[in-house]
Amino acid sequence: MAKYDYDLFVIGAGSGGVRAARLAAMSGARVAVAEEHRVGGTCVIRGCVPKKFMVYASEFSQAFKAAEGFGWSHCEMTFDWGRFLEAKDIEIARLSGIYVSNLQNAGADIVHERAELVDAHTVKLAKSGRTITTDKVLIATGGRPTTPEIPGIEHAITSNEAFHLESLPKRIMIVGGGYIAVEFAGIFNGLGVETCLMYRGANILRGFDNDVRSHLTGEIEKRGIKVILGTEHSKIEKTPSGAFLNHLTNGHAEETDVVMYATGREPYTAGLGLENVGVALNERGAVVVDEFSKTSVDNIWAVGDVTDRINLTPVAIREGAAFAETVFRDNPTSFDHDTVASAVFSQPPIGSVGLTEAEARHKVGKVDIYRAVFRPMKVTFYGGEERMLMKLVVDAATQKVLGCHVVGPDAPEMIQMAAIAIKMGVTKQQWDSTCAVHPTAAEELVTMRDKYVPMGMSAA
Ligand code: NDP
């Protein structure tokens, strides 16, 4: 008889946990996965996937505007939030169902309960009180939104609630300058909500290339989002009418119907019993792991946002796959976290891979910059003002392309392809030897011949 009930017990059925569980089970391991909410995790249930549906829904208003310039009329349509939510929930349920059947088809057991570690080989289920023994454990519990402690913060929602608002507000204040804040600002603005984005710093999207940051700010302002920089809440106050008065550190007050905080996420390690087994956490509460995702405890691994490496779904999936390959297929595999591309589904969206100009200057010293800012042909046709930004960061000494940054329609689609070349170490000469695809906006990427020199600076 086997020593333990399972060979692997996975806590958390999100992107990383499900991939690891499936691959381990397909390798012949006896696997169980515990999930306290719905199978699919943040990405499928309350993250990337429903967010993308909301982006699609909200983009139509811009498309209707453009349509008139192309000869269409009567483009003023109305949007039914309730009908959209219903359709979105049906699709999310379908996708979650696919995750469930994929796990089951692979032979993994799903435990619909919260699980906590009692010791390194025993988990206890919160509802039933049942204990289960396991040879190995994988922690894949993801992250959850954090909000600062300011007076009235209990009135604010986070992205978790934004997916289920009973009705579309007339006015919203979104706080934060990261991925979630700019994406939801675009969504609500596109859906006709009067949208204000407030960020504490001098420019949104810290960590992105500075040109990308300022270009996006200008573009979202053009689309009607009010951007308030260098400002925070001093207090959120509920008014008798049920609206909220946002008291700001710049001395102003703004009334909105909803206040949404998108001020980061924290690793979800609380209440997992990690202290019972001595799994080491860092100062942010993330599980500390080595390159093979192994924790400080010999039979326990962790993947995904709970480890706070690069908090993106495809990264969690690759970490989960590498874990299964290493531990259940006897093939030590570590995921390479270098040069991971990412997209921000702001409106317009961003695609970015590799080093920013500032990072590249810091790392290699001298860099060549290639940059284009232009109105795509679709925009010029209907007389729009939206501009696209493309930027290449090149190591001046080796001519290797170190970074590619795009803001504009289809940027996320373009960046996937650029990431392949950059990951392979492409030089600017090789990049330019690629013939353009015409007529596209992307062709601009391979036709930037002249180095960009900011006004007032010499080329040397
Ligand atoms: P981010 O870490 O991207 O951004 C958090 C923002 O909140 C920053 O602008 C930060 O400011 C600000 N902030 C933090 N603390 C405070 C505070 N106390 N008061 C005011 N502002 C504050 O977090 P998100 O919540 O936007 O997203 C979480 C993660 O989820 C992302 O980092 C990303 O990894 C992932 N994600 C990825 C998406 C994608 O791939 N498209 C989409 C959505 C999420 P400052 O810069 O000054 O620190």
Side-chain angles (χ1 to χ4, degrees):
M1 210 177 105
K3 189 170 171 196
Y4 300 107
D5 297 332
Y6 287 100
D7 299 316
L8 173 67
F9 194 95
V10 180
I11 307 181
S15 304
V18 167
R19 178 56 59 98
R22 278 181 65 205
L23 293 178
M26 285 158 69
S27 309
R30 296 168 309 136
V31 179
V33 191
E35 173 56 56
E36 63 179 328
H37 300 301
R38 290 167 71 192
V39 172
T42 299
C43 172
V44 177
I45 308 299
R46 66 193 87 80
C48 325
V49 175
K51 177 276 307 284
K52 192 82 189 275
F53 295 147
M54 289 169 89
V55 170
Y56 285 139
S58 61
E59 280 174 340
F60 282 99
S61 55
Q62 182 75 9
F64 293 149
K65 233 199 253 161
E68 290 183 358
F70 283 91
W72 294 83
S73 44
H74 309 300
C75 294
E76 278 299 309
M77 310 249 179
T78 53
F79 175 70
D80 186 335
W81 174 247
R83 201 147 59 82
F84 166 74
L85 283 192
E86 206 178 298
K88 175 203 67 132
D89 289 342
I90 289 171
E91 183 59 6
I92 297 302
R94 188 183 74 83
L95 294 170
S96 177
I98 291 174
Y99 268 61
V100 169
S101 46
N102 283 347
L103 278 171
Q104 288 168 340
N105 292 343
D109 292 338
I110 303 174
V111 180
H112 294 280
E113 280 193 62
R114 180 177 171 74
E116 288 174 26
L117 285 163
V118 178
D119 61 46
H121 291 284
T122 313
V123 293
K124 186 172 180 203
L125 303 181
K127 239 187 308 172
S128 60
R130 193 156 65 100
T131 56
I132 296 175
T133 60
T134 179
D135 184 18
K136 298 177 172 66
V137 175
L138 179 69
I139 302 162
T141 46
R144 54 183 178 175
T146 49
T147 50
E149 293 197 357
I150 53 141
I153 191 67
E154 68 278 7
H155 300 308
I157 64 163
T158 67
S159 57
N160 284 351
E161 294 75 40
F163 292 113
H164 303 285
L165 288 175
E166 271 178 26
S167 58
L168 209 51
K170 282 203 164 47
R171 302 160 299 177
I172 191 166
M173 156 84 72
I174 299 178
V175 183
Y179 283 83
I180 297 179
V182 298
E183 291 183 342
F184 273 90
I187 288 168
F188 285 113
N189 181 57
L191 294 177
V193 178
E194 201 181 296
T195 304
C196 176
L197 177 69
M198 179 169 75
Y199 173 54
R200 64 180 174 181
N203 205 352
I204 56 173
L205 286 176
R206 185 162 61 84
F208 282 79
D209 188 272
N210 285 336
D211 280 337
V212 167
R213 300 168 70 189
S214 49
H215 186 84
L216 186 76
T217 306
E219 290 300 308
I220 65 176
E221 283 179 327
K222 271 184 211 165
R223 292 192 187 207
I225 296 173
K226 178 173 176 182
V227 180
I228 304 178
L229 298 172
T231 307
E232 293 176 76
H233 267 119
S234 45
K235 182 166 75 169
I236 306 171
E237 193 183 4
K238 192 166 185 174
T239 69
S241 70
F244 300 102
L245 200 52
N246 299 275
H247 296 274
L248 310 182
T249 52
N250 64 6
H252 293 146
E254 299 260 342
E255 192 179 282
T256 58
D257 306 302
V258 171
V259 184
M260 173 176 163
Y261 262 71
T263 46
R265 295 173 62 85
E266 65 183 4
Y268 189 14
T269 44
L272 277 178
L274 299 182
E275 60 289 351
N276 298 337
V277 291
V279 168
L281 304 180
N282 70 15
E283 65 290 346
R284 286 206 69 230
V287 178
V288 178
V289 289
D290 68 12
E291 60 179 312
F292 296 107
S293 296
K294 189 187 240 189
T295 72
S296 56
V297 177
D298 215 36
N299 71 315
I300 303 180
W301 286 258
V303 294
D305 288 8
V306 77
T307 62
D308 197 25
R309 286 176 278 182
I310 300 178
N311 299 329
L312 298 172
T313 293
V315 172
I317 290 173
R318 295 294 284 268
E319 289 168 356
F323 155 78
E325 198 65 34
T326 303
V327 178
F328 292 99
R329 294 184 179 177
D330 205 17
N331 175 27
T333 306
S334 62
F335 172 64
D336 175 9
H337 290 82
D338 197 33
T339 320
V340 171
S342 79
V344 185
F345 293 94
S346 44
Q347 295 177 41
I350 297 172
S352 182
V353 62
L355 302 183
T356 65
E357 180 179 341
E359 285 167 345
R361 286 192 191 284
H362 184 70
K363 190 168 174 196
V364 303
K366 205 161 168 249
V367 295
D368 295 337
I369 301 298
Y370 297 85
R371 212 182 83 135
V373 178
F374 59 97
R375 285 194 302 158
M377 63 191 284
K378 182 175 172 186
V379 174
T380 51
F381 189 92
Y382 70 77
E385 279 305 316
E386 302 90 324
R387 282 188 157 69
M388 191 147 189
L389 167 76
M390 290 183 180
K391 180 169 177 178
L392 289 179
V393 180
V394 178
D395 182 338
T398 64
Q399 285 301 296
K400 263 194 180 179
V401 181
L402 301 177
C404 176
H405 310 279
V406 182
V407 186
D410 302 322
E413 305 292 339
M414 289 176 205
I415 214 66
Q416 181 70 81
M417 296 292 110
I420 299 172
I422 292 179
K423 182 94 182 156
M424 290 174 73
V426 70
T427 63
K428 180 67 165 57
Q429 196 187 11
Q430 291 166 327
W431 184 280
D432 288 348
S433 72
T434 308
C435 189
V437 178
H438 185 71
T440 64
E443 66 185 300
E444 198 71 29
L445 275 175
V446 293
T447 52
M448 291 189 283
R449 295 284 184 267
D450 298 327
K451 287 180 206 166
Y452 171 70
V453 183
M455 291 225 294
M457 275 181 73
S458 75

